[in-house]
Amino acid sequence: MQFFKDLSLSAFTAGFVAVLVGFTSSVAIVFQAAQAFGATPEQITSWMWALGLGMGLCSLIPSLILRQPVMVAWSTPGAAVLATAGLAGGFSMGEAVGAFMVCALLITLAGVTGWFERVMNRIPMELASALLAGVLARFGMQAFAAVQTALPLVLVMLASYLFARRLLPRYAVVLTLVAGVAWAAGNGQMRWSAVHWALATPVFTTPQFSLQALMSLALPLFIVTMASQNLPGVAVMRATGYQLPVSRLITLTGLATLVLAPFGAFALNFSAITAAICMGPEAHPDRARRYTAAASCGLLYIAVGIFGTVVTGLLTAFPQELVVAIAGLALL
C-alpha cells in the first residue's frame, strides 16, 4: 500500500504530537461541557468514543483519498460555549443532542451551498497568513511560559530540541518528546494512576428539540465553530500551500457530526494548531508525503475512540507543562 511506502517516523511522530496536543490541551473542557448537561461517566466515555471516531475517520479517509493532509478536530471553543451555556440554561442531555444535530445541519448546509469557501476565497493570502501567525504565536510562547512551573523539564526539552535540530533536524520533535517523557517519568511526574483498562461503549441519547436550546446552544455552537475553528483551519491550508476541497470537507464534518451527535459528537471541524504540526516541513520534507502525518493522526484518534478510557488515561498522564512545551517547540 502506498501509505506505508510514504510513511516515515517523523510523519508518524507529527501525527502523535498532534493528537497529544489536541487532546490533552482541551479534553478537560469537553468533560466540563458533558458534565454541564448532567452526563454520567458512561455518557462521557461515549462522547470520547464518538469524537475520536469522528475526528479519526474524517482525517484518515480524505487524507488517503486526496493524498493531502486533512486535519479534523473537535470544536474547543464550542465545548467552552456548551460548558457555560449548559450550566446557565439547565438543559438536559437530550436537548443538548438536539442542538448538536441542528448545528450539524447548519455546518452541512454551509458546505453544500459553498458559501463559506466563497468567503474564504475573498480573503487575501496575507491576511490568512497573519491569522495563522496570530493563532500559532500564543502556543509558541506558552512553551516558555511553562518554565515558571517546570523549569528543569522545559530546559531539558529545549536543550534536546536545539541539539537535535543541529544534528537530526527531521527527528527534532521525536527526540524532544522522548527526552521530556523520560525526564518526567524519572522524576515521578507521570500520572499513571489516570490509566484505566476498559473499552469505550457508545451510549445513544434520544434528541429533544426546543427553541431555547436552538438559540442558546445550536446557533452559538455553529457560529463559534465556523469563525474560531474552520476559518483559521482553512488559513493553515492556504498558508502551507494545500488547495483542498473546502466545501466538500465541511460537508463531511457536518454529516459526521449529525450521525454521531446522539453519542456525544457535538461539533467536528478543521483543526488549526494541530494541522500546522502535520502540514509543515517538520512532518516530512516532501510536501506530497505529509498526508501520512494526518492519516497517522486519524488512526490514533480512532484508537482514542475505541480504547476510550485507556488512551484518555495515557494522554492525560503527561504533565501539562510537557504538553505545552512540545506544542510550542513543534510549532516554533
Side-chain angles (χ1 to χ4, degrees), residues 70-82:
V70 176
M71 295 289 291
V72 171
W74 63 49
S75 176
T76 300
V81 167
L82 293 174

Side-chain angles (χ1 to χ4, degrees), residues 60 74 79 111 119 123 296:
L60 173 64
W74 63 49
V119 170
I123 296 178
S296 298

Side-chain angles (χ1 to χ4, degrees), residues 16 26 31 40 43 46 57 80-81 97 104 106 111 116 148 165-166 173 189 216 232 291:
F16 175 79
S26 58
F31 285 172
T40 63
Q43 286 175 319
S46 179
L57 292 175
V81 167
V97 168
L106 292 174
F116 181 76
Q148 299 175 5
R165 283 288 297 173
R166 176 67 176 173
V173 176
Q189 294 176 286
S216 300
Y291 77 94

Side-chain angles (χ1 to χ4, degrees), residues 71 232-244 246 249 270 279:
M71 295 289 291
V234 175
V236 173
M237 298 176 196
R238 302 283 169 83
T240 50
Y242 290 102
Q243 297 298 320
L244 292 165
V246 172
L249 292 174
F270 295 138
M279 292 182 178

Side-chain angles (χ1 to χ4, degrees), residues 69 240 242 278-281 283-295:
T240 50
Y242 290 102
C278 290
M279 292 182 178
H284 201 287
D286 185 353
R287 183 192 302 273
R289 296 173 66 181
R290 292 175 197 165
Y291 77 94
T292 57

Side-chain angles (χ1 to χ4, degrees), residues 15 20 40 52 57 64 84 94 166 228 230 257 270 307 314-315 330 332:
L20 174 65
T40 63
L57 292 175
L64 292 177
T84 304
R166 176 67 176 173
S228 300
N230 282 329
T257 302
F270 295 138
F307 301 98
L314 286 172
L315 293 177
L332 191 58

Side-chain angles (χ1 to χ4, degrees), residues 33 37 39 43 46-47 50 82 91-105 203-210 213-214 217-218 221 257-267:
F37 301 111
Q43 286 175 319
S46 179
W47 277 43
L82 293 174
F91 298 101
S92 67
M93 182 61 74
E95 289 177 301
V97 168
F100 301 165
M101 296 181 72
V102 172
C103 175
L105 287 172
V203 177
F204 181 87
T205 300
T206 303
Q208 300 175 9
F209 301 95
S210 68
L214 170 66
L217 297 178
L221 179 60
T257 302
L258 183 63
V259 171
L260 294 170
F263 303 99
F266 55 91

